[in-house]
Amino acid sequence: MVVLRMIGGVLLLAGLAALGWDLWQWSEMGSQMAAAGGLHLSAAGELWYRLHPGSLNLTQAVVQRYLMPELWDPVLLTVLLWPAALVLAVPGLALLALGSLRRS
């Protein structure tokens, strides 16, 4: 249960960091982004590519060649297009909740 809480905490912090990054970018480019339509939340795939593009490409190759091509597109590709803050924080909150359950 401790491991679930630790992983959940790390994911939640990563989600908050991604949201903080997006908010910081928005504040830095305030007038330019306001003209372009407001706050832009980074997609999970965009963030992953910025952090380590090689692992993203490797994951795509492994999933498409050795697991199931249908798993990459549309399932994982759809998730990679969602906001990174949500993709990280929601599973983090779920793991924190699961780790907090007590056995009777």
Side-chain angles (χ1 to χ4, degrees):
M1 293 300 183
V2 174
V3 174
L4 287 179
R5 286 192 304 230
M6 287 177 53
I7 294 171
V10 168
L11 285 173
L12 183 60
L13 285 175
L16 291 173
L19 180 61
W21 172 260
D22 290 336
L23 290 173
W24 181 71
Q25 292 284 50
W26 179 64
S27 70
E28 290 292 314
M29 306 288 255
S31 61
Q32 294 172 352
M33 290 185 89
L39 177 64
H40 167 73
L41 295 176
S42 299
E46 178 184 345
L47 177 64
W48 190 354
Y49 187 79
R50 270 193 269 141
L51 292 175
H52 200 269
S55 66
L56 177 60
N57 291 332
L58 178 65
T59 301
Q60 179 183 4
V62 167
V63 169
Q64 286 182 328
R65 289 183 192 151
Y66 301 112
L67 296 177
M68 282 178 32
E70 298 82 18
L71 184 62
W72 182 261
D73 188 16
V75 178
L76 293 176
L77 193 58
T78 300
V79 172
L80 289 174
L81 293 174
W82 291 346
L86 292 177
V87 170
L88 293 167
V90 170
L93 287 171
L95 288 175
L96 282 173
L98 285 173
S100 298
L101 294 177
R102 297 179 187 242
R103 290 186 176 179
S104 299

